[in-house]
Amino acid sequence: MALGRRKATERPAPDESNAPESRAATQPAGAGSAIGTLLLQRGLISSEQLATATERQPTTGKAIPDVLVEMGAVSERDVVAAVGEQLGVPFVDLRRDSPDAEVVALLKEATARDLVAIPLHRGENDTVIVAAADPSPETATKLKAAMKTAVTLHIAPSSDIERAINNAYSALDSVGRLVDAFAAAESSRRGPAATVDAMPDDAPVVRIVNMLISQAVRDRTSDIHIEPQDENVRVRYRIDGALTDAVLLPEALGPAIISRIKIMAGLNIVERRRPQDGQINQEIDGRTLDIRVNTMPTIWGEKAVMRILDRKRTLHTLADLGMPPEIHAKYSKMTRAPVGMLVCAGPTGSGKTTTLYATLNEINNPTANITTLEDPVEFVFPSINQVQINEQAGMTFAGGLRAILRQDPDIILVGEIRDIETARLGVQAALTGHFVLSTIHANDSASALHRFVDMGIERFLIASSLSMVVSQRLLRRTCTHCRVPKPLTVDEEAFFAEYAREYENKTTFYLGEGCNFCSNTGYLDRVGVYELLLMTDDMRRLVVENAPHEELKKMAVFQGMSTLLDEGLKLVNQDVTTIAEVMRTVYTG
């Protein structure tokens, strides 16, 4: 959090930009204490928290306000507001204050990112109000020179400004101009068209594809869908589990975009009748990305889906993912078993692999030989043997698992159980002294047991090998920046009355009304809901007796399992998510 560089006793030289005086985190030691005292006076922190931060400050080398933020005692927004009050600089809340496109155009994106500043709107005397993380005279001078107009600085958290920059400077803003350039080039071209791989980096198609990927990364997109239609090409982003329209492109541009993506992923651009899989390694905004690509023919042409994987993303713990303490305690205890099989069940995109990564992070230790089989390797563990599936080279899940069993493993992670051969090998490994973790596509925990039966695994082997099954979904979190009380719809009220009788006293429900931080969706990020089925003796008996799904589920609930629906409604009661999100994601009727 940059706050400026001028000492408290210094007076800035007169400046027509109306920039306020700024003080730095590097100012005399009392300055940080003054901000801490101001936070204490506002009732935002306790005297004990201030004392702890003051005690820790010398060892961290950071300012006291930054230490308080790291401690979780106060938010960065509250600290910046207090700094603004101390400096006499107005604080601006970028959750609500949307930048005007007219003034944003006065400042280049690169300069905005370099100065961590965003123009907002015009103020008095035609000056431009600019939100800056460092409202110092130096920043004001640079902004005035870059924008060629007088500026008045307000202060805002750097993270809020960076998010506003991502929204204001959309990578897709210039797509229309590039589409026109592509059309003009095509109409004026004589003779055979140039191949896509031979095009220069500034060719319209190349730049459009780069822009689609860049904006997707800024929007926290997990998947990019490029879908040919009758008269256009629709591009959609999956953000927090829900697809949203990004841009519509002319139909003629579709084949060129797909070909460009194929070239980047090392696919055959001539083959258009069969699905293909590939991978792109690219750096966007300083982040190293692996982009998994799949193309498939449709009646309107080839469709491409790109899944974005950030290799340097933070490795989550199970608590970070939303696993409740009571479920985490049982789950963590079972993961310490030396043998057996743990299966994570759910549909595509429900966070199964992330849960298994968090599990490996908890059980990883120097005395165990841990080997994984993945397609693709989404996160690199320095101390774990990770194997990338390569079916073209003969490295399949089944073949790789056979090889791993000759590598003296203790713990084995199989990315996905897709067929009977992989399932049988996994079961055999669990029965012969190994701890196996894997994922399977199933609606819930009880359904996962029947999936093994459907694959042809004998019921007595399932009962003997499986230790537990955890099923999960990801629910969108209600945006805390814009949530407001909202009455329930008729359907939501009926649903809550039928399935959440234990929370019948709850009368206030919240819904995000949309803000700059959540892209006006009302939701920001996701949280996991889990149901944990333990393979007790009674459960094993039911599996061997081929009990139906409902009987298995009833036994699991009787033994203490909280269902996905129960966990989702708990989050509604805690105002973490909404009834509509539970109905959309968890409820199966």
Side-chain angles (χ1 to χ4, degrees):
M1 180 173 61
L3 301 178
R5 301 172 181 80
R6 191 176 291 273
K7 292 185 178 180
T9 55
E10 292 182 344
R11 304 292 300 176
D15 188 275
E16 63 179 348
S17 64
N18 299 320
E21 182 180 6
S22 180
R23 303 170 179 87
T26 56
Q27 60 190 304
S33 299
I35 297 171
T37 303
L38 185 57
L39 293 170
L40 180 62
Q41 292 172 350
R42 286 185 167 191
L44 296 172
I45 61 173
S46 66
S47 56
E48 292 78 9
Q49 289 172 325
L50 180 58
T52 301
T54 304
E55 183 180 345
R56 293 182 183 179
Q57 191 270 336
T59 58
T60 62
K62 298 180 180 180
I64 288 178
D66 294 329
V67 177
L68 287 166
V69 172
E70 284 189 355
M71 289 168 50
V74 68
S75 70
E76 181 187 8
R77 189 173 289 106
D78 289 333
V79 169
V80 173
V83 172
E85 181 177 330
Q86 185 193 40
L87 303 179
V89 180
F91 174 80
V92 60
D93 189 346
L94 293 177
R95 294 174 294 183
R96 302 291 183 178
D97 202 335
S98 300
D100 292 340
E102 175 195 354
V103 296
V104 168
L106 298 175
L107 186 65
K108 292 182 179 180
E109 180 182 356
T111 306
R113 292 188 183 278
D114 182 53
L115 297 178
V116 195
I118 180 75
L120 298 177
H121 49 76
R122 292 193 181 274
E124 296 180 357
N125 301 322
D126 208 35
T127 62
V128 174
I129 306 298
V130 180
D134 173 17
S136 64
E138 292 87 349
T139 300
T141 300
K142 292 177 182 177
L143 287 168
K144 177 186 172 185
M147 299 172 65
K148 296 180 174 56
T149 186
V151 299
T152 298
L153 297 189
H154 290 196
I155 192 170
S158 58
S159 58
D160 290 4
I161 294 174
E162 289 168 0
R163 197 177 308 221
I165 290 173
N166 289 341
N167 291 334
Y169 295 93
S170 173
L172 303 181
D173 286 345
S174 57
V175 164
R177 178 173 52 81
L178 293 173
V179 168
D180 293 340
F182 173 81
E186 289 296 302
S187 62
S188 64
R189 179 175 289 122
R190 297 178 181 178
T195 59
V196 178
D197 56 333
M199 289 183 178
D201 291 342
D202 60 351
V205 172
V206 175
R207 294 180 62 188
I208 288 173
V209 172
N210 290 341
M211 286 178 178
L212 292 176
I213 297 174
S214 295
Q215 189 60 42
V217 172
R218 294 178 184 179
D219 289 345
R220 302 178 295 107
T221 299
S222 61
D223 300 88
I224 305 172
H225 291 243
I226 300 175
E227 305 166 324
Q229 297 180 322
D230 187 11
E231 297 180 350
N232 51 51
V233 176
R234 178 174 64 173
V235 180
R236 295 192 290 173
Y237 292 161
R238 187 176 293 279
I239 303 172
D240 291 335
L243 282 171
T244 181
D245 290 336
V247 66
L248 282 178
L249 301 173
E251 177 190 5
L253 196 56
I257 288 179
I258 297 297
S259 294
R260 172 59 185 169
I261 292 171
K262 283 184 170 183
I263 291 296
M264 296 172 69
L267 303 179
N268 183 354
I269 64 172
V270 178
E271 179 57 72
R272 297 185 175 91
R273 298 169 300 173
R274 298 178 181 176
Q276 296 187 65
D277 291 292
Q279 192 167 332
I280 299 171
N281 296 315
Q282 192 163 352
E283 185 170 313
I284 300 292
D285 294 340
R287 297 166 59 184
T288 303
L289 304 175
D290 281 346
I291 304 174
R292 184 169 55 181
V293 178
N294 176 268
T295 63
M296 183 178 68
T298 72
I299 60 172
W300 301 115
E302 280 189 288
K303 173 187 175 181
V305 175
M306 295 185 283
R307 170 155 291 186
I308 300 174
L309 306 171
D310 187 353
R311 279 185 177 251
K312 293 185 178 179
R313 73 182 189 273
T314 303
L315 183 61
H316 295 289
T317 65
L318 292 170
D320 294 335
L321 301 178
M323 188 172 283
E326 60 275 14
I327 294 180
H328 181 212
K330 296 178 183 177
Y331 182 87
S332 183
K333 179 180 178 181
M334 296 300 294
T335 58
R336 266 61 182 183
V339 298
M341 190 173 190
L342 182 161
V343 175
C344 191
T348 300
S350 60
K352 301 185 297 296
T353 301
T354 302
T355 297
L356 292 187
Y357 277 156
T359 304
L360 283 185
N361 191 38
E362 285 201 4
I363 64 178
N364 185 21
N365 68 82
T367 65
N369 176 18
I370 304 177
T371 306
T372 73
L373 277 172
E374 304 174 62
D375 185 23
V377 174
E378 297 184 15
F379 189 94
V380 177
F381 288 85
S383 59
I384 290 178
N385 307 297
Q386 295 176 270
V387 179
Q388 170 73 52
I389 294 299
N390 186 343
E391 294 188 357
Q392 293 182 346
M395 176 59 77
T396 62
F397 278 113
L401 188 49
R402 284 196 196 89
I404 286 175
L405 291 174
R406 295 191 290 270
Q407 289 279 319
D408 185 32
D410 296 300
I411 300 171
I412 304 170
L413 185 149
V414 181
E416 182 181 345
I417 293 178
R418 297 177 178 174
D419 51 52
I420 183 173
E421 190 176 9
T422 307
R424 188 172 296 280
L425 286 169
V427 167
Q428 291 173 352
L431 292 172
T432 55
H434 307 91
F435 186 60
V436 181
L437 303 91
S438 191
T439 69
I440 194 168
H441 286 87
N443 288 332
D444 56 23
S445 298
S447 299
L449 299 175
H450 283 288
R451 285 280 290 122
F452 279 96
V453 176
D454 292 341
M455 288 183 182
I457 304 300
E458 292 81 357
R459 289 186 292 273
F460 72 90
L461 290 179
I462 299 172
S464 302
S465 60
L466 260 64
S467 304
M468 62 178 161
V469 181
V470 58
S471 180
Q472 68 179 83
R473 296 290 191 280
L474 294 177
L475 300 179
R476 291 183 293 175
R477 292 178 182 267
T478 305
C479 179
T480 56
H481 303 298
C482 65
R483 71 178 190 179
V484 293
K486 283 288 181 71
L488 300 180
T489 65
V490 174
D491 289 342
E492 290 171 349
E493 192 170 348
F495 178 87
F496 194 76
E498 181 176 358
Y499 295 102
R501 294 174 183 172
E502 60 183 305
Y503 308 123
E504 59 184 5
N505 293 329
K506 183 176 177 60
T507 57
T508 305
F509 297 86
Y510 290 89
L511 181 69
E513 60 179 359
C515 67
N516 294 331
F517 285 5
C518 64
S519 302
N520 293 311
T521 64
Y523 296 97
L524 184 63
D525 293 329
R526 290 188 287 177
V527 61
V529 287
Y530 304 85
E531 65 175 29
L532 180 61
L533 184 152
L534 300 178
M535 293 298 292
T536 62
D537 291 340
D538 288 335
M539 190 63 67
R540 291 188 175 95
R541 176 179 54 78
L542 290 179
V543 170
V544 172
E545 293 174 356
N546 197 23
H549 172 271
E550 286 304 318
E551 194 171 342
L552 291 173
K553 187 171 183 178
K554 187 180 297 184
M555 174 61 73
V557 171
F558 175 76
Q559 294 180 344
M561 183 184 81
S562 180
T563 67
L564 291 171
L565 182 57
D566 293 336
E567 291 299 311
L569 291 173
K570 284 181 185 177
L571 295 180
V572 172
N573 185 56
Q574 297 165 6
D575 299 320
V576 175
T577 190
T578 63
I579 295 177
E581 185 66 6
V582 172
M583 295 171 67
R584 182 186 75 90
T585 308
V586 175
Y587 177 63
T588 58

